[in-house]
Amino acid sequence: AQKVTQAQTEISVVEKEDVTLDCVYETRDTTYYLFWYKQPPSGELVFLIRRNSFDEQNEISGRYSWNFQKSTSSFNFTITASQVVDSAVYFCALRLNSGNTPLVFGKGTRLSVIA
Amino acid sequence: DAGVTQSPTHLIKTRGQQVTLRCSPKSGHDTVSWYQQALGQGPQFIFQYYEEEERQRGNFPDRFSGHQFPNYSSELNVNALLLGDSALYLCASSSGLALETQYFGPGTRLLVL
């Protein structure tokens, strides 16, 4: 069975600080996808990134960056120079690359960015 | 380009009642998945519909049922509501059964009293 663990339940940072959200996953499959979603107070899950298990290249998108390390089964997410608008719950999710398998989510990390 | 829409946004029911939630997928998408998100938890997969058939189902009782219409929109029905059914119900759409990214709607907040 697949499992996603986000050990940090809540994080508070001051605006402009960098913050890293941790994600550790478990699967016996060798091919899978990893995702990060953002959930603002409105409730809608906003897609941020999808990563194929074959692609361990780190990715940067503006102030966001992702560090995928298969050796440690981790897919961490860093926000550089955080802003108040980054305050939300962030979810890491896993989906197998076989059939129409569903997303398996972690419990989320609530990020509060204080002005 | 319209995103995923859900209705209603909020709903209050009492135990034992039945509820129907609705979802319209993002333009160009034909697959709809439903998730239940309890307070403080990550979303849990309920089931997925494609070509008007249930294709995958999570660990939810038969009280949870669904339907997909020819226009790809979908309904989630919950019978004999329990207090524990109180949650945010999220609909996600994607294209086909391939491993495309799922895009989520704003959800329906259900409160069972």
Side-chain angles (χ1 to χ4, degrees):
Chain A
Q2 290 64 245
K3 185 179 179 182
V4 175
T5 301
Q6 295 179 256
Q8 304 150 309
T9 307
E10 293 192 37
I11 300 177
S12 241
V13 298
V14 176
E15 203 171 21
K16 296 185 184 176
E17 284 186 351
D18 298 348
V19 58
T20 295
L21 310 182
D22 298 332
C23 172
V24 173
Y25 61 92
E26 295 174 32
T27 179
R28 291 185 178 180
D29 281 54
T30 56
T31 58
Y32 47 87
Y33 286 93
L34 294 165
F35 299 79
W36 275 94
Y37 284 86
K38 173 183 179 180
Q39 188 174 45
S42 61
E44 179 173 351
L45 280 169
V46 178
F47 165 73
L48 296 178
I49 190 172
R50 181 179 86 174
R51 211 58 169 154
N52 186 315
S53 56
F54 290 119
D55 184 1
E56 286 194 71
Q57 265 194 328
N58 291 332
E59 180 156 341
I60 298 175
S61 176
R63 296 185 297 108
Y64 295 170
S65 63
W66 291 269
N67 184 332
F68 176 29
Q69 290 195 336
K70 238 174 161 176
S71 60
T72 55
S73 297
S74 65
F75 186 43
N76 297 337
F77 173 30
T78 298
I79 301 175
T80 303
S82 59
Q83 299 176 2
V84 172
V85 293
D86 296 327
S87 297
V89 181
Y90 290 86
F91 289 95
C92 181
L94 168 73
R95 185 176 183 183
L96 299 182
N97 186 18
S98 59
N100 52 334
T101 55
L103 287 165
V104 174
F105 285 87
K107 291 189 176 182
T109 297
R110 180 177 298 279
L111 173 64
S112 297
V113 181
I114 304 162
Chain B
D1 180 20
V4 181
T5 60
Q6 292 186 243
S7 64
T9 55
H10 294 81
L11 208 48
I12 300 176
K13 293 285 188 178
T14 56
R15 278 178 299 175
Q17 284 190 313
Q18 178 264 343
V19 68
T20 297
L21 311 181
R22 295 176 177 82
C23 170
S24 290
K26 183 178 167 70
S27 178
H29 286 180
D30 54 11
T31 303
V32 172
S33 302
W34 286 92
Y35 292 80
Q36 179 196 65
Q37 185 180 12
L39 198 61
Q41 302 294 315
Q44 298 288 317
F45 174 70
I46 303 175
F47 44 53
Q48 180 187 70
Y49 276 85
Y50 173 69
E51 292 186 338
E52 302 179 50
E53 288 187 17
E54 184 182 292
R55 299 292 178 157
Q56 280 273 334
R57 189 179 181 90
N59 189 24
F60 279 81
D62 292 344
R63 297 186 298 108
F64 289 77
S65 63
H67 188 76
Q68 185 178 36
F69 299 94
N71 67 352
Y72 310 124
S73 67
S74 176
E75 287 183 349
L76 163 65
N77 301 293
V78 187
N79 294 323
L81 284 167
L82 304 174
L83 296 180
D85 295 331
S86 295
L88 177 67
Y89 288 84
L90 293 161
C91 168
S93 76
S94 53
S95 180
L97 291 177
L99 297 170
E100 296 295 329
T101 298
Q102 294 183 8
Y103 292 88
F104 285 80
T108 294
R109 293 188 186 274
L110 172 65
L111 177 60
V112 182
L113 301 176

